[in-house]
Every structure is written in C-alpha cells, then in structure tokens.
Amino acid sequence: MPPMRTDTPQPIRLDDYTPPAFLIEEVRLDFALAPNTTRVKARLSVRRNGEHSDPLVLNGERLKPISVAVDGRVLAEGERSIDAEFLTVPDVPDAFVLETEVEIDPENNKALEGLYMSGGRFCTQCEAEGFRKITWYPDRPDVLSRFTVRIEADKVFRHLLSNGNLIEAGELPGGRHFAVWNDPFPKPAYLFALVGGELDVLEDKLVTMTGRTVDLRIFVDTGMAPRAAYAMDALKRSMKWDEEAFGREYDLDLFMIVAVRDFNFGAMENKGLNIFNSSLLLADPATATDLDYERIESVVAHEYFHNWTGDRITCRDWFQLCLKEGLTVFRDQSFSADMRGHAVQRIKDVKALRARQFPEDQGPLAHPVRPSSYLKIDNFYTATIYEKGAEVIRMLKTLIGAEAFRQGMDLYFERWDGHATTVEEFIRCFAEVSGQDLSDFFAWYEQAGTPKVQLTHSYDADAKTLTIDLSQQTPPTPGQPNKKPLPVPVILGLLDGEGRTLAFERDGRAVDETLVVLDSAASSVTLTGVDEAPVISALRGFSSPVTLNTDARAADRYVQLAGDPDLFNRWESGQDLARALIIARATGAPDEVGEERFAEALGRALADQASDPAFKALLLSLPTESDLAMSIQPADPAAIHVAREAMRTRLALHLTEDLKRLHIGLQELGEFSPDAASAGRRALRNAALDLMAANPRAEVGELAEGHYRAAANMTDAIGGLSALMQIGGELYETALADFFARWKSEPLVIDKWFALQARDPDESALGRVMGLTAHPAFDQKNPNRLRALVSTFANFNPARFHDPSGAGYRFLADQILAVDGFNPMTAARLVEPLGGWRRYKPELGALMKEQLARIVATEGLSKNVYELAAKALAD
C-alpha cells in the first residue's frame, strides 16, 4: 500500500481576485541553452500598481537561483527570500529594474511544462502556469508586457525561435550562434514560446486584406516538410476566413508553427509562434486518416484565431478561461462548417459535446462555464469550458441575431485590444449593440448542469392552432443544489405527415420556422394557421445545449428521419429511434418488429440520392455504448454492449445488399483528395464495412481483409483493420502484425495501432491492453502514446473497462499513479472515467470508488490528480 496522504491543498477562488501588486512594463530574457544546464537571465522593468507597500512576490518553481539584483545591486540572501514556489523581495521602490539569473534542466523536465526537450530539441509550454518553471515572474494572465528575447546555443540547434519578429542573428565563438526576437504586442507570460533545434521548414506567404505580405513558416522533423502542406493550406484559409467573417487581419510580419512529438495539449497559440502536437499538424494520405485531416484543419484554425481571441485580448484571470477558449471554439466550428458543410459539422460537434461535456455536467466534476474555484487551473481545460462555452456563444448569436452579434464582436475587439478582461465585459458589448438586457443570459456562465427541457403539445383542428408547452429543470450539481431557469432558445418547425414543411403563423406573420425562448420554468406558445396535425421539429440545429424530451410518437420520428429539412433533426430522429430500441433490448424487452421497421427506414435513407454521403455515414452510426449508458441508470455496460451488438447484427443482415452496393460503388480509383466531398464518400464506404462486420457470415471477414489489403490510404487501412478487429480471429491478428511491421518507424501511425487494440470488444481486451504496456513501442512518458492506449481503453471500450472484477479500474488507477510521478497534468486527465461511478450498477460503482479512494490516499499525490479524484469520490 502507498503511504497515506496527509496534506489538503487549498483552493483559489474567483471572489478573492485582486489586481496585480506590480506590473511589468518590459521584459528582456537571455537564454544560454544547454540540455541540462540552461541559464536564463531576466531583466524586468517593474512598476508598483497602485498605492501600497507590499513586497514583490514572483512565482518560480524548480529553479536553481544564481543571482537577484535590484537596479544593478545584487541582493544578499537576507534581502530576499526564495522557497519552492516564490521569490519575495521586500522594500522595493515604486519603479525599478529587477535582474535575475537561474539555471534549469530542460532534458529532465518530463512534466513537459516550461522549457523542456522533445526529440533532441528545446521547446516550451507555458499555459497555464509553465513560465514560472523558466524564470521568476508574476505568472498570471493579467500582467501583460512586451518581450525581447535573446537565445544562444550550439549550432547543432540550428533554428532559434521565439515570439514576434526576428531583429538580429549571428555567429558566436566556440561553434555557437544567437538570435534576438522582439514581440511588439504586450502579452502575458503564458504566451511566451521558445524553440531551438534542427528542423525542416515549409515556407509560404499570404497577402492580407490591406496588402501586407506575411511570411508563413511551419517547422517539422527532418524530412517531414511535405506532410505539413495541408496544415499550411488550412492556415492560409483560416487567415482569409477570419478577415472575411470577423474583419481580423494578422498583425506581425511572420507567423510560425512548430510541430513537437511530446506535448501535453493539442496545440498552443503562443503569439506568432504556435507550438503543435505533431499529431495535429502532419498528414499525408499514406499515414493520416480523414479524421486527422479534419482535426488538423480545425486545430490550425483554432490556434490562429486565438491571435485575436486570446492573444490580443486575453483573460483577466484563469476563471475567465472560457472567454478565450469557448469563443475560439465557436469560431473554429464556424470555420469548419463553412469548409465542410454546416449540417454534417453541426452533428459532429454535438456528438462530441454529448460524449464529453454532458457526462461531465451530470457527474461529480460538473462545474460552470466560468468556475468559481480551483486547485489547479490545468484541470479546467475541460469540455465545459471549451465545447459548452462555444454553445453559449452560439446561443448568444441566436438570441440577438447575426448582425448584432458581429457588431458586438467588433466592439469587443475595439474596446479590449491589448488588455486582459472578463466575461462580464464581453457580454456587455453585446448588450450595448443589441439594446437587450442580457443579465439573465449570464447565468449560462455561472450555473453548472445540463437543463432538461420537456415539450408537449395540443392541436385544435377546428381553430387550426397548435399550443406548445415547454418547461425546464436543471438537476443539482456539486455546490449548486438550487437551479434557476435559463433563457433557452428553441428553434421550431412543423412538418406534415409526409415530411413536407408545414407553414404556420406566429404573431400574425406567416413563417415556416420560429424561435421560442424558454426563459422561465414553464411557458406556452400558440401557433395559428396550422392546417393539419403536425409533426414538430424542435430544437433545430441543436439550438441549445439541453436534453429535450417530447411527447412525439415513434411514427413522428420516422417522418423526421425520412424528410425533416433540418438535417440535424433528421439525424437526431434516427438516433432517438435506435436508442429506444437498444435500451428496450438491454432492459429485457426487445422490440423485434420495431427493429425491423428501423432497418427498413434506414435502408430508405441510404437510398436517398440527394443526401450527402457524409450525412449518410452519420446515419449508419448507432449511439455509442457510453451515450446509451447516460440513458439507463444504473447502467449495465455488459448488457448495453450485447444489446447494441444485437442491433448492429440485425441491421447488417437486413441491409446486406445495400451495404455491399455502397462498399463497391464508393471504391476510389483516382488520386486521393482530403476535401470534404471525397472524405464523405470514404466515410460512408467505411461505415458500410463497419456495419457489415456485425454480419456473422464468414465471407465478411474475407471482404474486410480485402479492404485492408487494397487500401491506398490510411483512412481505408484503418477502416479495414477496425472491421477485422470486430470479427477477430486469425485474419485480424495477421493484419495487425502486418500493420505494425509496415509502420513501426512512424510514431503517429503506431499510435493508431495502439488505439485500435484498446477499442477491441473481445473479452480478452483488458489482458491485451495490459500486455501492450510492456510492448517496446509503448512509452508512458509520451502523452500521445499514453492517450492512445490507456485513455482510449478507459473512455471508448466500456464493456471491457467495466470488467466485473474491477481489473480495468485497477489498471487505470495504476497508470494514473505512475504517470503522476512525472507528469501530473497528463495523469489528471486520466481520472475522469472513474468519476462516473454513480451512473453504473452499485457493484461496479463500489469498485470504481475503491480505486478513487486509493488514489486520493496516496502520499505525494499532485494537486492536479488530487483535485479531480477527490471531487470524483465525494458523495
């Protein structure tokens, strides 16, 4: 047993915010890079902020102090104090220059925060609190300063990069060289970046809307420059889109991106020098799937859009994190919708929201979009901050209209450029331009939980009126037992019995769609001129992040599946029908007639020549086992898995010929293209194969093997291998070995190899996954590899993770504790699967709690893991 934990970390609270005691007007940093003994000299122009006599207190961790000087005079030890977290200097003037020198060890920095080494290169990650591991500094987002950075290193580290513009470079004696960078825009320390190493570079240019030429450079591993071509294309499209959609032009002469293999996050928006996880930057048809291309496009856009929503305007404090992340996710989703189709992208975004954020909002880790307290801000880079934060922005645009929304954004950029601000000030901009009182809307930022909306209706044939009754209720969440009603925008349309749009009147005006705002616990709306009893198409486009329950009949869902013009609701109706049928089977009341009816309806939808292949691929995908577990409480993962597989088998048998025609007809013979249309056709072909894999007939295995062997791109190779995994047996094991032998020198591809096995539904999956942790290619210290195997297993293989013995839970806890010893941020991100213990059968929940208790009791546990595990454990 590990030693018992004895200390309890104390939270940081929003209510305790105070402005910084000192401001830093200018920063000059001087780096002498060496793998184990990097020297960092900092020269800070410091000014007291307001009337007070507080000492200067700077953050600093894991720093070896060399010297501290004020206005050129080196301080004796008695004139300053240094502990594990702070440098304190009492009795300082109102304005002065602080000079410090420290030594750090990048090569042994396995937490991957601050300055560390990846693949023999120096790189940084400073958000949220990594800069304090580089030098002493007021490491908080409301201290903005202009940085000038000098970097010196051996010439083997060929490229020396930092934020802003290169102003000087040259050679030095002893085989060394230097570069000096200046960023003219004030920024907080979390946006500082440095890279030093041997890299290839892909270069391009872009002419902005005012005629300025910006140099674009993407730095990658040696020999990988061609794989950055799609990222470069996505960057240029992002820059143009931001000019057209938001009027935002890039502001420096140079924009750089660097790909690194070891990275805790997906990417980081450091001003002018974005640093990316290589998995989100490098792609070619042979090694990257269509999903990789989509994610690269989205993340490149996201990080570029941060230039204005995050860099030029940043957060006053970390409680305002959604101000940059939720807003920027909304912007990148809007960009992706324009690039790849609005309906398909909206469905994908909502699927991600429901998979990640809805469980978070309904569990012990629920928190508002703007939290009120935290132990480690690293733990709040969550789906609530990002995805729900984006949904709040989307609702704001819906409520005030697109024109007022753009005006509000323009005012926000004008008013707050160059400053750190708050969510209140952001919302105030939209209230001013729209003339609307948005005080009630602000509750979306302060109240956790997913509202449950109930819709019932009554139709008066004589009066031709339709009355719709709406109500809302948000369940209690930790620390918030009592909830108030929120303004919930509900977009409604009506259909006739054949699925055709049914016009109606609202407030005397003829319309075919209307916005109803549910802003109280319950309200009603009456629509007139409704010529027949309608099918109600509610919450179109998923206009609010809520769960909607209605009095619709199954027959109504079939009408929507066949012809709802709102494609989100057409897809949603299919999901609702499938969910009800799978749950009925999982709870011991199978509806075989209903299953056949659903299979027939799905076949008709697949035959619709007017439908986008990407949309059809989404129709073929049943609700996931994790999604289904949210609808059955307490959930039995084993029963859900069996029921869902039975449904897949029924569909595969019923649609055998349809699926074969799709698989044959969509085979590509020409050159690969990553465009949305081509990706959609591949998605449908692979979705058809995936469903065929549930057919128990032997020839399906041969078909899947042929698909894998003939694959001309990674999308199809993974599609074939995934189908073989579901079938199992010798064909699968042979293909798996072949895949590894073929791609063992490609780390990003081998991540896929690990992840695919982590999803294996076979009963031997847990043993396989545990065995893979001893595989020579498994590296626990690499976040990508760890996530590929451990996180994938815990999050996407519920039937095997929730093994009745509790072995899956023990395995995850073992991994969390091991990783916490060197990378607390990554370890904490593994805790969430254990936090859902309340949703599962009591015997499973008890085993999950046992592992959480074991984690919390461990001596030396990081604040990161302690915060999440303790919250998850709380009753």
Side-chain angles (χ1 to χ4, degrees):
M1 285 287 291
M4 293 292 289
R5 182 186 181 90
T6 56
D7 59 320
T8 301
Q10 297 303 305
I12 297 169
R13 303 183 188 282
L14 173 60
D15 289 344
D16 295 336
Y17 172 83
T18 56
F22 293 87
L23 300 177
I24 312 297
E25 296 181 334
E26 297 285 341
V27 177
R28 297 188 68 88
L29 299 175
D30 192 324
F31 288 83
L33 296 179
N36 299 112
T37 55
T38 288
R39 289 288 182 100
V40 184
K41 295 179 181 179
R43 188 177 191 275
L44 313 181
S45 298
V46 186
R47 175 171 57 83
R48 192 180 300 275
N49 186 26
E51 297 292 327
H52 63 84
S53 57
D54 295 349
L56 175 71
V57 180
L58 303 181
N59 304 101
E61 298 176 12
R62 303 177 189 173
L63 308 176
K64 178 182 178 181
I66 305 299
S67 65
V68 179
V70 172
D71 287 335
R73 186 179 70 84
V74 176
L75 301 183
E77 288 190 12
E79 296 178 284
R80 46 72 171 174
S81 65
I82 297 172
D83 61 23
E85 295 185 12
F86 301 103
L87 163 67
T88 302
V89 184
D91 303 320
V92 293
D94 288 346
F96 60 96
V97 173
L98 178 76
E99 295 174 279
T100 64
E101 183 175 2
V102 300
E103 184 177 285
I104 55 179
D105 183 357
E107 189 165 54
N108 288 308
N109 178 2
K110 303 307 179 184
L112 311 184
E113 296 177 89
L115 180 66
Y116 65 95
M117 299 198 75
S118 174
R121 306 176 190 88
F122 294 92
C123 60
T124 56
Q125 172 55 37
C126 293
E127 188 176 357
E129 297 176 337
F131 192 75
R132 64 189 63 187
K133 297 178 177 68
I134 294 175
T135 189
W136 284 303
Y137 198 80
D139 193 6
R140 47 189 287 171
D142 56 352
V143 176
L144 280 68
S145 186
R146 291 178 172 85
F147 282 63
T148 300
V149 179
R150 183 184 184 276
I151 310 168
E152 176 185 323
D154 290 339
K155 287 183 180 179
V156 67
F157 302 105
R158 181 161 62 103
H159 293 285
L160 303 177
L161 311 175
S162 192
N163 311 84
N165 297 313
L166 180 66
I167 59 174
E168 188 181 358
E171 297 190 1
L172 295 168
R176 293 175 71 79
H177 66 145
F178 77 96
V180 180
W181 295 82
N182 173 258
D183 185 354
F185 295 96
K187 66 173 180 285
Y190 82 84
L191 290 171
F192 169 78
L194 179 153
V195 172
E198 176 63 33
L199 296 158
D200 279 359
V201 58
L202 180 67
E203 300 187 71
D204 207 332
K205 295 180 184 295
L206 181 130
V207 178
T208 70
M209 62 185 183
T210 61
R212 292 175 47 249
T213 298
V214 177
D215 291 326
L216 309 175
R217 297 174 191 163
I218 299 180
F219 295 87
V220 297
D221 287 345
T222 303
M224 293 292 178
R227 295 191 194 180
Y230 189 75
M232 180 68 81
D233 177 66
L235 173 61
K236 294 172 73 174
R237 286 185 282 120
S238 303
M239 296 175 80
K240 282 300 183 185
W241 184 90
D242 210 19
E243 291 180 346
E244 295 165 2
F246 286 91
R248 298 298 101 194
E249 181 179 25
Y250 186 62
D251 45 15
L252 292 168
D253 299 329
L254 173 65
F255 186 86
M256 299 177 287
I257 300 175
V258 179
V260 299
R261 170 67 176 149
D262 303 288
F263 204 66
N264 284 336
F265 290 96
M268 179 61 208
E269 71 268 19
N270 315 297
K271 179 70 177 177
L273 178 56
N274 288 186
I275 297 180
F276 270 59
N277 189 317
S278 57
S279 67
L280 292 170
L281 198 75
L282 303 177
D284 64 12
T287 59
T289 65
D290 287 323
L291 178 59
D292 293 326
Y293 279 98
E294 283 185 36
R295 293 175 67 213
I296 288 168
E297 181 178 75
S298 172
V299 177
V300 166
H302 180 95
E303 303 307 328
Y304 173 74
F305 296 154
H306 266 312
N307 186 60
W308 279 93
T309 50
D311 294 3
R312 290 283 288 262
I313 305 174
T314 192
C315 309
R316 185 198 71 178
D317 53 71
W318 287 119
F319 296 101
Q320 320 295 327
L321 182 58
C322 63
L323 183 61
K324 74 182 187 76
E325 295 302 348
L327 176 56
T328 306
V329 169
F330 169 76
R331 278 156 47 75
D332 83 56
Q333 288 178 349
S334 301
F335 167 77
S336 294
D338 283 348
M339 298 298 108
R340 295 187 169 268
H342 287 254
V344 167
Q345 189 61 42
R346 186 60 180 146
I347 292 167
K348 291 179 178 180
D349 291 340
V350 173
K351 286 183 68 175
L353 178 80
R354 287 173 171 168
R356 297 181 60 229
Q357 197 280 322
F358 275 27
E360 187 171 271
D361 234 355
Q362 297 174 39
L365 301 181
H367 58 274
V369 173
R370 186 177 72 176
S372 58
S373 69
Y374 61 80
L375 291 182
K376 288 292 291 183
I377 187 57
D378 304 330
N379 289 336
F380 282 89
Y381 286 77
T382 62
T384 296
I385 303 294
Y386 281 67
E387 279 83 5
K388 187 175 181 179
E391 293 300 317
V392 173
I393 303 294
R394 188 180 305 277
M395 285 189 292
L396 176 63
K397 182 177 180 180
T398 299
L399 288 169
I400 68 174
E403 183 177 352
F405 180 79
R406 173 60 191 270
Q407 291 170 355
M409 288 299 303
D410 289 345
L411 178 59
Y412 175 64
F413 290 131
E414 177 185 350
R415 180 174 292 172
W416 291 105
D417 184 19
H419 295 85
T421 190
T422 63
V423 177
E424 284 89 347
E425 295 299 335
F426 174 73
I427 294 297
R428 185 171 288 116
C429 292
F430 297 95
E432 288 183 21
V433 300
S434 68
Q436 295 188 29
D437 181 357
L438 296 174
S439 55
D440 288 341
F441 181 79
F442 197 80
W444 277 104
Y445 284 100
E446 297 183 312
Q447 185 166 287
T450 303
K452 296 182 177 181
V453 174
Q454 182 72 35
L455 182 152
T456 59
H457 75 284
S458 59
Y459 176 67
D460 187 328
D462 294 331
K464 295 187 177 181
T465 60
L466 175 69
T467 299
I468 295 175
D469 297 310
L470 291 164
S471 62
Q472 64 168 297
Q473 183 263 333
T474 303
T477 57
Q480 292 185 338
N482 301 312
K483 304 292 186 177
K484 58 184 178 181
L486 298 168
V488 178
V490 180
I491 297 177
L492 295 167
L494 303 180
L495 308 176
D496 67 13
E498 301 299 320
R500 296 183 292 261
T501 297
L502 192 61
F504 56 92
E505 293 181 1
R506 183 169 182 204
D507 300 327
R509 187 168 61 93
V511 295
D512 56 21
E513 188 174 83
T514 191
L515 171 64
V516 177
V517 180
L518 173 62
D519 54 8
S520 58
S523 67
S524 297
V525 61
T526 298
L527 309 178
T528 59
V530 182
D531 291 334
E532 61 180 270
V535 172
I536 300 172
S537 175
L539 207 68
R540 283 186 160 179
F542 199 67
S543 53
S544 299
V546 302
T547 58
L548 176 66
N549 293 301
T550 77
D551 58 357
R553 305 164 303 161
D556 296 335
R557 298 294 188 211
Y558 281 108
V559 170
Q560 290 184 268
L561 177 58
D564 197 323
D566 183 82
L567 291 183
F568 177 85
N569 272 5
R570 187 182 295 187
W571 169 80
E572 182 83 307
S573 64
Q575 294 290 292
D576 287 343
L577 289 164
R579 183 180 296 107
L581 291 166
I582 296 170
I583 290 174
R585 182 172 284 276
T587 54
D591 178 3
E592 296 190 1
V593 173
E595 290 174 358
E596 282 297 312
R597 183 182 180 188
F598 178 73
E600 291 170 4
L602 193 57
R604 288 192 294 271
L606 292 176
D608 183 357
Q609 297 300 312
S611 288
D612 180 2
F615 177 71
K616 291 181 182 179
L618 291 167
L619 283 180
L620 273 181
S621 179
L622 295 175
T624 67
E625 292 175 29
S626 296
D627 178 30
L628 292 161
M630 296 291 291
S631 302
I632 310 174
Q633 308 250 326
D636 180 346
I640 290 171
H641 175 72
V642 170
R644 187 176 183 273
E645 286 305 301
M647 183 69 167
R648 279 170 41 82
T649 298
R650 183 175 293 277
L651 293 176
L653 290 170
H654 189 99
L655 299 173
T656 297
E657 296 306 317
D658 302 273
L659 296 173
K660 283 182 179 179
R661 279 194 295 270
L662 287 172
H663 188 259
I664 295 170
L666 291 167
Q667 188 169 4
E668 286 186 333
L669 300 176
E671 187 175 348
F672 177 91
S673 172
D675 67 84
S678 300
R681 290 190 293 271
R682 285 189 292 271
L684 180 54
R685 184 168 186 259
N686 281 291
L689 178 65
D690 181 80
L691 190 52
M692 280 193 284
N695 189 325
R697 294 171 184 167
E699 64 266 20
V700 177
E702 298 171 4
L703 181 67
E705 183 191 32
H707 182 106
Y708 169 74
R709 298 291 178 187
N713 55 72
M714 184 55 66
T715 300
D716 288 341
I718 290 293
L721 196 57
S722 179
L724 286 168
M725 174 193 70
Q726 295 179 59
I727 297 165
E730 185 178 348
L731 289 177
Y732 168 53
E733 298 298 341
T734 301
L736 200 60
D738 172 77
F739 189 91
F740 183 84
R742 190 184 304 182
W743 298 110
K744 60 186 176 183
S745 62
E746 294 280 353
L748 296 180
V749 180
I750 295 304
D751 285 342
K752 302 180 196 303
W753 184 78
F754 277 99
L756 185 129
Q757 292 177 83
R759 291 175 179 262
D760 190 341
D762 188 78
E763 293 180 359
S764 64
L766 176 57
R768 182 189 289 268
V769 168
M770 294 176 72
L772 284 169
T773 61
H775 193 283
F778 181 74
D779 180 3
Q780 195 179 52
K781 290 184 170 61
N782 178 265
N784 284 357
R785 190 59 47 85
L786 182 75
R787 285 188 287 260
L789 182 64
V790 178
S791 182
T792 299
F793 174 70
N795 285 288
F796 301 107
N797 197 345
R800 303 310 164 208
F801 174 62
H802 294 284
D803 185 90
S805 70
Y809 311 145
R810 289 193 297 274
F811 167 73
L812 180 60
D814 288 344
Q815 293 294 316
I816 291 168
L817 292 172
V819 175
D820 191 49
F822 56 86
N823 191 334
M825 187 185 301
T826 295
R829 288 168 179 261
L830 297 174
V831 171
E832 187 176 353
L834 292 172
W837 60 267
R838 293 167 183 80
R839 294 197 296 271
Y840 295 97
K841 296 192 306 180
E843 54 268 36
L844 295 178
L847 292 169
M848 297 168 83
K849 285 183 68 177
E850 182 181 310
Q851 295 306 314
L852 286 168
R854 173 185 159 215
I855 292 169
V856 169
T858 300
E859 185 178 6
L861 195 67
S862 70
K863 289 182 182 180
N864 302 68
V865 171
Y866 175 81
E867 178 175 26
L868 295 186
K871 284 183 177 180
L873 187 59
D875 287 316

